[in-house]
Structure formats: structure tokens, C-alpha cells
Amino acid sequence: MTRCLLLAGLLSLAACSREEKPSPAPAPAGMKKPPPAPIEEAAQLPVHKPAPSVEQVLARQKPAKAPKEEPTDNLHLPAFTFRTMDSKSVKVQINGEDLSTTPCLWSITQKLKFTDAAVPSGWPPEGGRFIGTTQHPDDPESKAELYIIDKPEILEKIPKLRKGECVLAVRGVLGQVPVQGSLLLYIREYRFTDFVPLVNPEGDDASRFHRTLWFERMPDE
């Protein structure tokens, strides 16, 4: 009897000390757990572009046109050079107009203004001394010859020439257009001289003195 009461009390005490957690209630039939909501990407901020300039607006309205190439109406041939024997800087005049000071370059062009003076006609010109030829590097058909007339017996027939003034005679073709005429060349107190410097034909001086007209100082009277 006593053992039965003791056993019942122990069972009662064990039942009170044990705490059972309630199990979750089952979900009703036919209902499913909703899926997790997707994470939305962050909205991109709008990019602010600068306002177009006036030039850009006009360019959109009117198509761009390629610039027109200006026609070449004054073809230049490789130049001649005027130099003095004493290397002094002296003013050079062509047809009475200042060109530059020696040493200076002079080129035969399509717009040469020839003199109206009564210079020798024909070709080669009477009493002329051959100076050289010049030819355009990109247009071989454009070329010219140059003569100089400096003989006193011929120059004295030309009116109003200054002392030492001489005549340049030109004939050639520039841009398929014939060119021929004469010009008056004046270097004060100097006169043309037939001088050929002794230089190395393959050196720098040969190129520098190519197509050069030399002038010497006239002696004092």
C-alpha cells in the first residue's frame, strides 16, 4: 500500500516538472506559403546632359558642306636669287617697285607685270645672256627660261634707264598659259656680273647658289 502511494507521487512529480512545447498548428489544406517578395533593383538616377550649343543646333538643322577649294590663279615657279658679291644688303627694284633687299628671292608667276619699255623682242632676246630655267616640281609642263640683257650698247636704246639698270627677259608656260615679256631690274650702285662660284656640286652651297644672279658694286667715277 505504501509502495503504491510512493510510486504514484513520483509519477505525479515527474509529470509536473516536464514542460512540453506545443507543436505548431498544421496549415489548412489547399493553402501554400507565399514565396518571398523579389528584391527590386534600385532605380537609376537620370543623367542630366548639358544643353546643346547654338553651333550644334545649327549643325543638326543644316548638313555640313565641304569647303570649296580655291583655284590656283597665280602659279609660282621655283625662285631665282639676287645676291651681291660683297654680301651687302641692298634694295632691289622690279619695274621701279621695291621687291626686297639682297639676298632676296624672285619668282616667275602667272601675274607678272611686264614693262612697256621698248626692250628687244624675239627669242632669245637680242644681246641676252642665258641665266637658267625653272620648272614646277608638281607640274612639269609649267616652266620658264630667264635671260638678262646688260650690254650697254643695247640698254642705251631703252629710254629712261638708270645707271646699272638691266632687263630680265622671260618666256615660258605656267598652268598651260604662255608667259613672255620683260622686266626692268635695278640695284642701286650695283650691276650684273657673270659670276659662277666654285663650290662642291654635291654640297649645300651648290643648292643655295642655284639660279643665282650676282651683282658687283660699280666703281666710283
Side-chain angles (χ1 to χ4, degrees):
M1 183 71 178
T2 304
R3 291 182 179 177
C4 292
L5 294 174
L6 178 61
L7 180 59
L10 292 174
L11 292 175
S12 174
L13 180 62
C16 293
S17 61
R18 187 187 309 164
E19 293 182 358
E20 296 182 0
K21 295 182 180 179
S23 59
M31 295 189 64
K32 295 183 180 180
K33 188 177 180 180
I39 301 175
E40 297 182 358
E41 296 182 358
Q44 296 183 354
L45 296 177
V47 179
H48 295 283
K49 296 182 179 181
S53 62
V54 177
E55 291 79 5
Q56 292 174 334
V57 174
L58 295 177
R60 295 173 184 173
Q61 295 176 353
K62 295 181 180 180
K65 295 182 179 180
K68 295 182 179 180
E69 294 184 359
E70 295 295 333
T72 302
D73 58 354
N74 192 21
L75 187 66
H76 288 67
L77 297 183
F80 291 87
T81 306
F82 302 137
R83 297 181 183 272
T84 57
M85 296 287 293
D86 54 11
S87 301
K88 288 188 176 180
S89 179
V90 186
K91 184 180 296 184
V92 179
Q93 290 186 343
I94 297 289
N95 289 345
E97 297 182 0
D98 293 341
L99 174 65
S100 183
T101 55
T102 57
C104 69
L105 300 176
W106 172 76
S107 179
I108 297 174
T109 73
Q110 292 173 306
K111 291 187 176 182
L112 276 181
K113 296 180 180 180
F114 296 113
T115 181
D116 295 331
V119 298
S121 59
W123 199 263
E126 180 186 356
R129 187 181 304 185
F130 179 70
I131 297 299
T133 61
T134 177
Q135 185 176 34
H136 198 282
D138 299 327
D139 183 9
E141 295 183 357
S142 295
K143 55 187 177 180
E145 293 181 334
L146 180 67
Y147 281 77
I148 191 168
I149 302 172
D150 67 329
K151 293 182 178 181
E153 61 271 21
I154 297 178
L155 295 178
E156 64 186 10
K157 300 177 183 180
I158 303 175
K160 299 181 180 181
L161 284 187
R162 292 167 286 186
K163 185 178 180 180
E165 195 166 17
C166 56
V167 176
L168 296 177
V170 177
R171 188 177 76 166
V173 176
L174 284 82
Q176 301 181 352
V177 178
V179 174
Q180 182 170 349
S182 300
L183 308 100
L184 302 180
L185 172 63
Y186 179 66
I187 301 178
R188 185 176 181 180
E189 298 181 354
Y190 283 79
R191 63 187 178 189
F192 173 78
T193 180
D194 189 9
F195 173 69
V196 179
L198 296 176
V199 296
N200 181 0
E202 297 181 357
D204 294 338
D205 286 343
S207 175
R208 187 161 62 96
F209 294 150
H210 187 47
R211 290 191 300 270
T212 295
L213 286 74
W214 294 91
F215 295 82
E216 63 179 356
R217 189 175 182 87
M218 291 185 291
D220 297 332
E221 295 182 354

